[in-house]
Amino acid sequence: METLDLASILAQFEIAGMVMAVKPLGNGLINDTYHVTTAGNNPDYVLQRINNAIFQDVDLLQHNIEVVTSHIRHKLENSGASDIDRKVLRFIRARDGKTYYRDHDGRYWRLMIYIPDSYTHQAVTPQSAHDAGKAFGQFEQMLVDVPEQLGETIPDFHNMELRMRQLREAVQHDAAGRLSQVRHIVDELERDAYEMCQAERLYRDGKLPKRICHCDTKVNNMLFDKDGNVLCVIDLDTVMPSFIFSDYGDFLRTGANLTAEDDPDASHVGFDVEIFKSFTMGYLESARGFLSPIEIEHLPYAVALFPFMQCTRFLTDYINGDTYYKTQYATHNLDRAHNQLALYCDVRRHDTMMATYIQGLL
Ligand code: GN1
Ligand code: MG
């Protein structure tokens, strides 16, 4: 975007200090994010364009985020925590009092304070995986008593039955003429689809609850300080009611993959057992108090579910002609799908180990 455009958008928010620079930030696949540098001792900011093609109900989305961040802030205050502004995001209201600004072209923007000396990582160590597990468990734990009903910002976001239906529709339409190339992947997914849809069946039978979850716990949605300590979770658009499998499984999908989710060489992909163990230990330390036996028993299923679901989603988008995820080259989504399938297969080789390890922690 033109700098001038961004400046006029920033002018809609109450900003302290003179804006010196606006530069793209991060590598999210959905929103556009900018780092806003200001002069002197004033805070820097993060400006984001909300992708309202994907998040169609921006009011609901921003309401969720507001409820969740203020609930967490209160909890931190009441517990006497220090450095609270580094542990939860703070949003700046637009001049009209709203938590976002809609510009003349119908684009939606929001602004938050940039947390100084914070870093995102694409990979974790056993220690930072442990701390991340604990942090996501705490995040869910703090939200068990959210005073308001939150909506689903993307309805049925992690519903595997829906993701299979979307794949089957894509296959039927074959909009980009790519199906013949990927038939074998579709067949592999179909083979395990029923098993991977068990969460929805448990939910319908009243055996599995939905709780407020983050729903996009990939490693790079977490901020660390310079020493590698977890500060807070970011990217809150998908905070919504879901199965806890979302947070537990999606972190391991990126954190315990030996390579990046879009590494085109699937032979680099592998399930990192050390990371699995340390993350699980941290997660259960903070989450076991509120998890039900059914939830705990299905944690190994969650580890398999997320690469399986992500493969389904990348493949669906590839077949549809890349309409959802940002891509850098023609087979980007296909490479991602291969990568996630390889991870899924490797995770399944560890089913028994995972169950035994979790049992041992209890
Ligand atoms: C998207 O916004 P970002 O890049 O953190 C996606 C996640 C996927 C992820 C795959 C709203 O997350 O569900 O797991 O890409 N978010 C949405 O990298 O679809
Ligand atoms: Mg992100």
Side-chain angles (χ1 to χ4, degrees):
M1 271 204 80
E2 296 291 324
T3 320
L4 193 66
D5 266 16
L6 292 173
S8 70
I9 283 150
L10 284 167
Q12 303 301 321
F13 294 89
E14 208 73 60
I15 285 193
M18 190 163 75
V19 174
M20 302 298 283
V22 183
K23 297 210 177 83
L25 176 69
N27 48 8
L29 300 185
I30 306 293
N31 298 318
D32 298 327
T33 308
Y34 303 90
H35 182 170
V36 181
T37 318
T38 62
N41 273 339
N42 298 295
D44 283 2
Y45 296 89
V46 175
L47 175 70
Q48 261 189 329
R49 189 181 71 82
I50 305 168
N51 184 331
N52 64 305
I54 289 175
F55 299 103
Q56 298 187 355
D57 191 340
V58 176
D59 269 317
L60 172 96
L61 168 80
Q62 289 296 109
H63 176 73
N64 277 5
I65 293 182
E66 209 186 349
V67 169
V68 162
T69 50
S70 44
H71 190 71
I72 292 181
R73 185 170 287 275
H74 284 141
K75 289 230 160 152
L76 291 171
E77 281 164 4
N78 292 340
S79 73
S82 58
D83 244 0
I84 293 179
D85 276 329
R86 294 173 72 71
K87 294 179 181 154
V88 62
L89 298 178
R90 187 191 276 284
F91 290 85
I92 307 295
R93 283 176 188 274
R95 292 188 187 276
D96 65 1
K98 285 202 166 143
T99 56
Y100 61 86
Y101 166 66
R102 184 174 186 274
D103 72 18
H104 302 298
D105 300 316
R107 292 170 306 189
Y108 291 84
W109 301 88
R110 72 178 159 218
L111 191 72
M112 66 199 106
I113 297 199
Y114 180 88
I115 299 180
D117 304 314
S118 64
Y119 305 88
T120 53
H121 297 304
Q122 304 300 329
V124 288
T125 60
Q127 182 63 46
S128 64
H130 169 273
D131 300 347
K134 203 165 159 182
F136 280 121
Q138 271 162 357
F139 183 81
E140 291 174 348
Q141 208 270 325
M142 284 193 279
L143 297 177
V144 288
D145 58 349
V146 162
E148 280 183 66
Q149 189 82 24
L150 299 190
E152 298 193 4
T153 56
I154 299 180
D156 287 318
F157 185 47
H158 281 163
N159 181 330
M160 193 58 227
E161 288 177 348
L162 170 77
R163 298 305 180 183
M164 285 311 297
R165 280 201 298 281
Q166 291 173 330
L167 174 63
R168 288 168 190 150
E169 271 166 34
V171 164
Q172 220 160 40
H173 292 110
D174 191 15
R178 292 169 165 179
L179 179 61
S180 57
Q181 214 187 329
V182 301
R183 200 70 266 173
H184 59 290
I185 315 180
V186 177
D187 293 344
E188 282 207 50
L189 292 172
E190 285 291 355
R191 202 190 50 213
D192 289 358
Y194 182 80
E195 186 187 359
M196 286 299 120
C197 290
Q198 56 179 293
E200 272 66 48
R201 294 192 295 275
L202 288 169
Y203 179 66
R204 276 196 295 275
D205 293 347
K207 293 179 180 152
L208 184 66
K210 284 195 182 182
R211 306 178 187 275
I212 306 302
C213 296
H214 181 279
C215 293
D216 191 12
T217 55
K218 57 184 186 182
V219 178
N220 64 14
N221 282 335
M222 173 159 265
L223 294 184
F224 295 87
D225 70 12
K226 66 175 185 338
D227 303 318
N229 302 310
V230 173
L231 290 171
C232 65
V233 292
I234 56 171
D235 218 345
L236 304 177
D237 298 315
T238 52
V239 173
M240 63 176 120
S242 187
F243 309 129
I244 56 94
F245 305 156
S246 294
D247 291 349
Y248 176 74
D250 212 15
F251 182 89
L252 289 170
R253 182 182 73 75
T254 51
N257 188 348
L258 293 172
T259 192
E261 70 177 8
D262 64 348
D263 187 331
D265 186 345
S267 76
H268 297 159
V269 173
F271 183 53
D272 187 328
V273 172
E274 280 323 299
I275 297 294
F276 159 79
K277 288 186 173 169
S278 44
F279 179 78
T280 303
M281 186 184 283
Y283 180 69
L284 285 177
E285 270 170 38
S286 52
R288 63 180 293 181
F290 67 87
L291 294 179
S292 72
I294 292 257
E295 288 173 312
I296 293 179
E297 182 195 323
H298 284 82
L299 290 178
Y301 156 72
V303 185
L305 174 62
F306 277 83
F308 186 89
M309 187 185 301
Q310 199 61 58
C311 174
T312 309
R313 294 177 62 194
F314 285 144
L315 186 67
T316 302
D317 198 34
Y318 183 69
I319 298 173
N320 286 337
D322 311 318
T323 59
Y324 188 92
Y325 293 108
K326 292 183 189 167
T327 53
Q328 261 105 53
Y329 56 96
T331 54
H332 204 162
N333 271 321
L334 179 60
D335 286 343
R336 290 168 173 153
H338 273 130
N339 178 303
Q340 295 296 293
L341 184 62
L343 179 61
Y344 169 73
C345 293
D346 200 33
V347 166
R348 295 308 304 265
R349 290 180 203 112
H350 294 85
D351 279 349
T352 315
M353 178 283 293
M354 292 191 285
T356 312
Y357 179 73
I358 289 167
Q359 230 23 66
L361 288 179
L362 301 175

